[in-house]
């Protein structure tokens, strides 16, 4: 009967069916065993009563009765007759009836290997053998030529009916018998599963192998078998349900034709889905409902890649499945299972979300056909209605909002921006025409979605005793209108300046603001506080979008920064942790925005120093983040605050760096760096480090602490590599400017002073090595300034040209010596050991120069004067130490002791 690949297919179907039956039967047996144990334990606890209290003996003249024998410690063997009752025994216990005296039964032992083998495995293997035996018997008849095709099919059907009848007969016999249920294999279910598998195989063989059935007839018969299997699952358990649902959804694959009829397919799937959902509802089998939904959604895909997508039957499929899921699967709605109020049930939400996903796929695959978009709109509206009536499906709101945004976002990016069309259409003969959907229909649909989500999200507040449900409604009501507005702006306005969209954003902000004000005045209800904060955040988001739509693209950075500030301020009025994180998220978005384009507005920065787009693009966000950090710090020092503080410092530093670069390069942001740029960067970075060192003492913020160290390190790198190496005027041809007010003053003297101030700012607050290192840098740059300024006096603005004369060498020695003496005088006046040590270092360097350089290069009077001056200075220094420092530091003589 069955040849070739069909044997493999039949074998697979049979094995799968019996594996499912085995698993279900094992689970049922284990549940029965546990139930029996629990019943026996419960019965034993009810039978055991406390022994009666024995009264104290009372002295009396009456004869004393003999005491009753104590009950045995172990259960006695069965007694045919009760013991005789005499007058000299104590009264019987309080329990009445023969069961009262019986000891509690012991729990049944777990089945052993032999019991499992005889009661379970043999039956399972026997069922599988029955199915395979039928297949192999017919195969033998084919190979031996005993039976014709018609007889084979007839016998196969007869064998299937016999197995089904045997399953039903054994089920009824088992139901009416008085035999106690044992943890054995479910024989009726296995026989019925075997009959179902044979019926499937017989009908398919009559259609595919012998051509006895036309596709329509085979399709109907296989569908009836699948539906019958689902119906039999009501009596025989979940194994047949799994077999039936798999067979029902696989049947259209088995019976295929060159020209598929999607209407017939989806009407059949609607019937199967209804039967499966009904069975899942009656038996409360969630797995069956989930399996049905998965198969139903998968059946959307075959027709999506066709050259001419048939939208109508696909739309019918998702709408029918959505309606059936709402009627039978969603808890608390129509015929769905009951559920506690305020609980979101995953299967209820996922069922609606799955069909929304299918409707979205149809819209995208059909290039936004009108019928597909209308069907999608109906399903979104249905989701809002079902979620409104049944809180268990509230989770589907997230899927609805996500699919709505995907549909409109894909519509915005589907066509080239040059294919922009307004509701009136493009001008005839100019430019390409739109090919995907009606713009008017999309605009109307967008308005319906925005109004529906927004109004429902507001009206849902206060309707539930759960916190999460109103929050989900408000989140969807705020996010969906904003997302739709952004998608429409991208499609219609090409992300360019658009006053009409700015007006729409302002109206949306006004609506959110009114909702925020109304919710603020309401009584306290679960979730209302968070929802109020979400609507307030939506107000700020819509206002930021209005700025973005009405102004240039660079204002998006400013708008997001202002949203961070506004959210931080709202978090003070409504202390909700989510708002603090939202402020930090906005700060992160702005940071990502400048990472994408550090010039904010591309080439349109401008050439005016300071007053250019960098001031607004970096300055306003920096001010916003500083103000936001002040608001956030009033509540707590947590991760969101630190993120905003880091953003404030980052934007302040970037504002300084970018403005310096713009000023030093004349607006050419890609030009090579210069001595002026390095000098300004070193000075500004050191100044910011000093400010953060002072600020961290008050705030005790770890961000301020770490940022001060990072800026100090950056200043050190710029100073060493930029000023001393890359742009050192002694090494490169650089014009330093005038005699006094020049780049040397800015690049070496100012950094030296700022390093000195920074070293004093960290004394006692950080390690001594850290402070002394900064002070050493200040000494190096001060000495470098003296040296370079002397060379400027001899060589003019270009220091790298011309020979070094003896007078210049002598002036270096005198200048260094004077600088050392100046440091010594300062150290003596303010009693600074650090200044005196710096003086000693400079003078030691001067001595080294005198003996190494001056002695070999100077001649005549310059050599003599150099050593004479050095000697005089050294003697004077010794005298100062002996007469002033020694006297100041010497301790007074001790007072004479009496009687010494």
């Amino acid at each position: 009967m069955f040849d070739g690949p069909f044997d493999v297919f039949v074998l697979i179907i049979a094995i799968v069916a019996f594996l499912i039956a085995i698993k279900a039967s094992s689970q049922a047996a284990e549940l029965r065993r546990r139930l029996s144990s629990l019943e026996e334990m419960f019965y034993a606890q009810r039978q055991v009563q406390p022994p009666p209290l024995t009264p104290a003996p009372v002295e009396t003249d009456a004869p004393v009765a003999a005491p009753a024998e104590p009950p045995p410690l172990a259960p006695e063997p069965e007694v045919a007759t009760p013991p005789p009752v005499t007058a000299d025994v104590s009264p019987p216990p309080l329990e009445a009836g023969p069961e009262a005296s019986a000891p509690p039964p012991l729990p049944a032992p777990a089945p052993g290997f032999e019991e499992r083998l005889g009661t379970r495995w043999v039956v399972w293997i026997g069922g599988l053998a029955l199915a395979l035996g039928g297949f192999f018997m017919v195969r033998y008849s084919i190979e031996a030529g005993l039976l014709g095709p018609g007889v084979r099919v007839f016998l196969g059907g007869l064998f299937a009916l016999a197995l089904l009848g045997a399953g039903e007969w054994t089920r009824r016999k088992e139901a009416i018998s008085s035999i106690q249920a044992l943890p054995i294999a479910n024989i009726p279910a296995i026989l019925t599963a075997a009959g179902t598998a044979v019926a499937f195989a017989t009908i398919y063989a009559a259609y595919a192998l012998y051509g006895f059935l036309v596709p329509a007839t085979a399709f109907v018969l296989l569908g009836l078998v699948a539906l019958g299997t689902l119906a039999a699952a009501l009596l025989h358990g979940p194994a047949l349900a799994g077999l039936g649902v798999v067979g029902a959804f696989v049947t259209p694959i088995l019976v295929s034709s060159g020209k598929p009829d999607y209407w017939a397919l989806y009407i059949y799937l609607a019937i199967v889905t209804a039967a499966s959902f009904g069975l899942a509802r009656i038996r409360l089998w969630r797995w069956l409902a989930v399996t049905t939904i998965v198969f139903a959604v998968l059946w959307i895909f075959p027709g999506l890649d066709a050259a001419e997508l048939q939208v109508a039957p696909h739309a019918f499929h998702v709408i029918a499945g959505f309606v059936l899921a709402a009627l039978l699967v969603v808890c608390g709605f129509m015929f769905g299972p009951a559920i506690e109020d305020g609980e979101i049930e995953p299967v209820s939400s996922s069922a609606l979300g799955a069909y929304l996903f299918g409707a979205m796929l149809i819209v995208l695959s059909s290039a936004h056909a009108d019928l597909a978009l209308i069907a999608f709109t109906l399903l979104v509206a249905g989701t809002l209605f079902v979620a409104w009536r049944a809180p268990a499906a509230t989770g589907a709101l997230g899927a609805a909002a996500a699919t709505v945004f995907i549909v409109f976002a894909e519509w915005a990016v589907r066509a080239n921006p040059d294919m922009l069309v307004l509701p009136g259409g493009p001008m005839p003969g100019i430019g390409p025409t739109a090919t995907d959907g009606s713009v008017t229909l999309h605009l109307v649909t967008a308005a319906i979605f925005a109004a529906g989500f927004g109004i429902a999200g507001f009206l849902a507040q206060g309707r539930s005793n759960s916190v999460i449900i109103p929050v989900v409604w408000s989140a969807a009501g705020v996010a969906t209108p904003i997302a739709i507005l952004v998608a429409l702006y991208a499609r219609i306005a090409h992300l360019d300046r658009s006053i009409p969209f700015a007006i729409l954003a302002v109206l949306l902000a006004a609506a959110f603001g009114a909702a925020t004000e109304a919710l603020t005045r309401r009584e306290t209800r679960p979730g209302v506080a968070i929802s109020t904060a979400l609507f307030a955040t939506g107000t700020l988001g819509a206002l930021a979008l209005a700025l973005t739509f009405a102004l240039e693209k660079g204002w998006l950075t400013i708008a997001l920064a202002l949203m961070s500030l506004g959210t931080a301020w709202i978090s003070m009025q409504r202390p909700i942790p989510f708002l603090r994180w939202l402020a930090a998220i906005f700060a992160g978005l702005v940071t990502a925005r400048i990472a994408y384009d550090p010039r904010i507005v591309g080439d349109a920065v401008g050439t005016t120093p300071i007053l250019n787009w960098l001031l607004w693009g970096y300055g306003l966000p920096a001010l916003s983040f500083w103000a936001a950090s002040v608001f956030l710090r009033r509540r707590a020092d947590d991760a969101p605050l630190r993120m905003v503080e880091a953003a404030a410092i980052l934007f302040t530093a970037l504002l300084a760096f970018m403005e310096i670069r713009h000023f030093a390069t004349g607006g050419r942001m890609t030009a090579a760096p210069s001595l002026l740029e390095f000098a300004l960067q070193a000075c500004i970075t050191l100044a910011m480090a000093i400010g953060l060192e002072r600020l961290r003492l008050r705030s005790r913020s770890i961000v301020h602490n770490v940022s001060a160290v990072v800026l100090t390190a950056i200043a050190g790198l710029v100073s060493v590599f930029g000023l001393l190496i890359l742009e050192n005027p002694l090494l490169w041809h650089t014009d330093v400017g005038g005699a006094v007010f020049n780049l040397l003053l800015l690049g070496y003297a100012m950094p030296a002073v700022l390093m000195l101030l920074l070293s004093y700012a960290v004394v006692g607050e950080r390690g001594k090595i850290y402070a002394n290192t900064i002070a050493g840098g200040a000494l190096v740059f001060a000495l470098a300034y003296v040296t370079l300024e002397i060379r400027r006096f001899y060589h003019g603005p270009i220091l790298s040209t011309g020979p070094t004369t003896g007078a210049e060498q002598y002036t270096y020695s005198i200048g260094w010596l004077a600088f050392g003496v100046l440091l010594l005088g300062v150290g003596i006046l303010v009693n600074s050991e650090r200044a005196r040590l710096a003086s000693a270092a400079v003078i030691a360097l001067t001595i080294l120069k005198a003996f190494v350089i001056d002695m070999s290069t100077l001649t005549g009077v310059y050599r003599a004067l150099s050593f004479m001056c050095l000697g005089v200075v050294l003697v004077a220094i010794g005298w100062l130490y002996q007469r002033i420092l020694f006297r100041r530091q010497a301790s007074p003589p001790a007072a004479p002791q009496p009687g010494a």
Side-chain angles (χ1 to χ4, degrees):
M1 174 179 173
F2 309 135
D3 294 320
F6 178 73
D7 294 333
V8 180
F9 170 75
V10 167
L11 182 61
I12 291 175
I13 288 291
I15 293 175
V16 169
F18 282 101
L19 287 179
I20 295 175
I22 288 171
K23 182 178 180 182
S25 181
S26 299
Q27 294 174 349
E30 181 66 21
L31 289 175
R32 284 198 297 269
R33 188 183 67 80
R34 293 184 180 180
L35 181 60
S36 299
S37 300
L38 290 176
E39 289 178 348
E40 292 169 356
M41 293 174 62
F42 179 72
Y43 177 78
Q45 292 176 359
R46 292 189 58 185
Q47 295 300 324
V48 175
Q49 299 289 343
L53 298 177
T54 304
V58 180
E59 296 182 359
T60 178
D61 296 335
V64 179
E69 296 181 1
L73 297 179
E76 293 287 339
E78 297 183 0
V79 180
T81 58
V85 180
T86 59
D88 30 8
V89 294
S90 56
L94 298 178
E95 293 83 5
E99 296 84 357
S101 60
L106 297 175
F113 172 77
E114 182 179 3
E115 183 178 355
R116 293 177 184 272
L117 178 64
T119 61
R120 301 184 188 183
W121 299 347
V122 171
V123 178
W124 294 335
I125 298 173
L128 180 61
L130 281 175
L132 295 179
F135 300 152
F136 296 149
M137 176 61 70
V138 177
R139 181 174 181 177
Y140 169 74
S141 67
I142 296 173
E143 293 174 351
L146 301 178
L147 302 174
V151 178
R152 300 169 196 167
V153 172
F154 174 75
L155 292 178
L158 191 62
F159 185 62
L161 291 176
L163 289 175
L164 293 174
E168 179 62 18
W169 181 79
T170 55
R171 184 191 68 81
R172 295 192 178 191
K173 281 292 185 179
E174 186 181 76
I176 64 176
S177 66
S178 58
I179 301 176
Q180 184 181 1
L182 297 175
I184 60 176
N186 193 339
I187 296 176
I190 290 179
L191 291 175
T192 307
T196 303
V198 173
F200 266 111
T202 302
I203 296 174
Y204 182 72
Y207 157 72
L209 298 181
Y210 307 123
F212 292 157
L213 302 176
V214 297
T217 305
F219 182 79
V220 172
L221 290 177
L222 289 174
L224 290 176
V225 172
L227 294 176
T229 306
L230 289 174
L234 287 171
L235 303 175
H236 293 280
L240 281 180
L243 179 62
V245 72
V246 171
F249 281 100
V250 170
T251 293
I253 300 178
L254 302 179
V255 183
S256 59
S257 61
K259 187 178 181 181
D261 187 352
Y262 286 104
W263 275 113
L265 169 66
Y266 288 138
I267 291 175
Y268 163 77
L269 291 180
I271 297 174
V272 172
T273 303
S276 182
F277 281 167
L279 178 60
R281 170 63 185 90
I282 294 173
R283 287 300 187 93
L284 297 180
W285 290 337
R286 300 174 64 183
W287 65 268
L288 182 59
V290 173
T291 304
T292 304
I293 293 169
V294 171
F295 275 113
V297 173
L298 290 177
W299 267 112
I300 300 175
F301 288 92
L304 294 181
D305 57 351
E308 295 181 359
L309 173 63
Q310 300 180 22
V311 177
H314 282 76
F316 166 78
H317 176 57
V318 294
I319 292 176
F322 183 90
V323 172
L324 290 172
L327 292 177
L328 299 173
V329 176
V330 175
C331 297
F333 183 80
M334 300 299 289
F335 307 107
I339 194 173
E340 294 183 4
D341 185 27
E343 182 179 353
I344 298 178
E345 204 273 321
V347 176
S348 301
S349 302
S350 301
L352 303 183
Y355 287 104
L356 282 171
F357 173 74
M360 179 196 71
L361 292 180
I362 297 173
V363 173
L364 302 183
S365 300
S366 63
H368 295 250
D370 291 352
L371 181 59
L373 190 60
I374 292 173
F376 177 72
T377 305
L378 292 176
L379 261 61
V380 173
T383 302
L384 294 177
F385 176 73
V386 175
W388 182 271
R389 296 292 302 273
T394 306
L397 293 175
T403 52
V404 166
F405 173 71
I406 292 174
V407 165
F408 281 92
E410 197 270 347
W411 182 63
V413 301
R414 166 178 287 273
N416 190 283
D418 294 334
M419 299 177 66
L420 172 66
V421 289
L422 295 177
M427 295 181 62
I430 300 180
T433 59
T435 58
D436 52 335
S438 168
V439 175
T440 302
L441 181 60
H442 280 77
L443 294 179
V444 172
T445 306
I448 294 174
F449 286 153
F453 276 93
I455 295 174
F458 172 74
L459 296 178
Q461 305 306 311
R463 296 182 66 250
S464 176
N465 294 324
S466 173
V467 176
I468 186 63
I469 291 178
V471 171
V472 173
W473 274 103
S474 59
V478 170
T480 306
I482 292 179
I484 292 175
L485 184 61
V486 172
L488 293 179
Y489 168 71
R491 172 60 190 250
I492 296 178
H494 288 186
L495 300 179
D496 286 336
R497 186 169 174 265
S498 175
I499 297 300
F501 274 99
I503 295 174
L504 289 177
V506 170
L507 294 177
L508 184 60
F512 286 154
T516 304
E517 185 64 21
L519 292 177
T520 304
R521 293 195 299 265
R522 286 190 180 182
E523 61 179 352
T524 303
R525 294 280 296 172
V528 171
I530 301 178
S531 299
T532 305
L534 289 174
F535 276 103
T537 305
T539 305
L540 295 174
L543 289 176
L545 287 178
L547 291 175
T548 305
F549 297 160
L551 303 172
E552 299 295 334
K553 297 179 182 178
W555 287 100
L556 177 60
T557 304
I558 300 173
L560 292 175
L562 292 176
M563 288 177 65
S564 178
L565 172 60
T567 307
W569 178 80
I570 295 173
S571 69
M572 293 182 56
Q573 314 302 320
R574 296 286 185 269
I576 302 170
F578 171 73
L579 290 180
R580 300 176 66 86
W581 279 105
L582 189 59
I585 290 172
F586 284 139
L589 291 176
V590 178
T591 305
R593 168 72 176 85
I594 64 164
Y596 172 73
D597 185 7
R599 296 176 297 176
I600 306 296
V601 290
D603 296 330
V605 175
T607 57
T608 305
I610 307 301
L611 300 177
N612 49 53
W613 242 107
L614 297 173
L615 179 63
W616 313 116
Y618 286 96
L620 290 179
L623 289 177
S624 298
F625 294 147
W626 280 113
S629 65
V630 172
F631 291 145
L632 295 177
R633 180 166 290 279
R634 295 180 183 179
R635 291 287 183 185
D637 185 358
D638 52 4
L641 168 65
R642 294 169 184 174
M643 293 173 64
V644 175
E645 286 181 340
I649 297 172
L650 175 63
F651 272 78
T652 303
L654 289 177
L655 171 64
F657 294 158
M658 297 299 289
E659 286 286 8
I660 289 172
R661 180 150 188 80
H662 183 275
F663 172 75
T665 60
R668 299 185 302 273
M669 303 295 290
T670 57
S674 61
L675 177 62
L676 174 63
E677 181 178 352
F678 281 133
L680 291 173
Q681 287 180 351
C683 293
I684 293 297
T685 307
L686 289 169
M688 288 190 294
I690 294 172
L692 285 177
E693 290 289 351
R694 298 299 183 186
L695 180 60
R696 76 178 184 88
L697 298 179
R698 297 174 52 189
S699 66
R700 298 298 177 184
S701 170
I702 186 174
V703 176
H704 297 162
N705 187 4
V706 174
S707 299
V709 176
V710 171
L711 287 176
T712 301
I714 293 175
L717 293 175
V718 171
S719 301
V720 173
F721 292 98
L723 297 175
L724 296 182
I725 299 176
L726 296 179
E727 294 296 331
N728 192 331
L730 284 177
L731 304 177
W732 310 102
H733 188 85
T734 303
D735 189 347
V736 299
V740 178
F741 298 101
N742 49 35
L743 291 179
L744 301 178
L745 181 66
L746 182 64
Y748 297 92
M750 286 296 297
V753 173
L754 292 172
M755 289 179 188
L756 182 63
L757 295 177
L758 180 59
S759 67
Y760 278 102
V762 300
V763 169
E765 300 295 334
R766 299 191 186 274
K768 181 178 290 187
I769 297 177
Y770 185 82
N772 290 338
T773 302
I774 299 174
L779 178 62
V780 170
F781 271 78
L783 189 60
Y785 172 71
V786 172
T787 304
L788 294 174
E789 192 63 38
I790 293 173
R791 187 165 182 82
R792 167 66 181 79
F793 176 77
Y794 282 96
H795 293 266
I798 306 299
L799 307 185
S800 59
T801 59
T804 302
T805 62
E808 182 180 347
Q809 285 287 2
Y810 174 72
T811 308
Y812 288 145
S813 300
I814 295 299
W816 290 7
L817 194 59
F819 180 59
V821 172
L822 178 63
L823 289 176
L824 179 60
V826 172
I828 294 174
L829 291 177
V830 301
N831 194 23
S832 172
E833 181 183 5
R834 184 183 298 174
R836 295 195 297 269
L837 292 177
S839 170
V842 173
I843 292 176
L845 184 61
T846 305
I847 295 173
L848 181 63
K849 177 181 179 299
F851 284 94
V852 174
I853 298 177
D854 293 355
M855 185 176 293
S856 60
T857 59
L858 294 180
T859 57
V861 66
Y862 290 117
R863 178 186 297 178
L865 289 176
S866 174
F867 280 90
M868 290 172 60
C869 291
L870 178 62
V872 171
V873 170
L874 292 178
V875 172
I877 290 173
W879 182 83
L880 288 175
Y881 269 88
Q882 292 177 7
R883 299 294 181 179
I884 299 178
L885 293 177
F886 177 76
R887 181 179 298 174
R888 178 178 297 177
Q889 295 176 357
S891 58
Q897 299 292 334

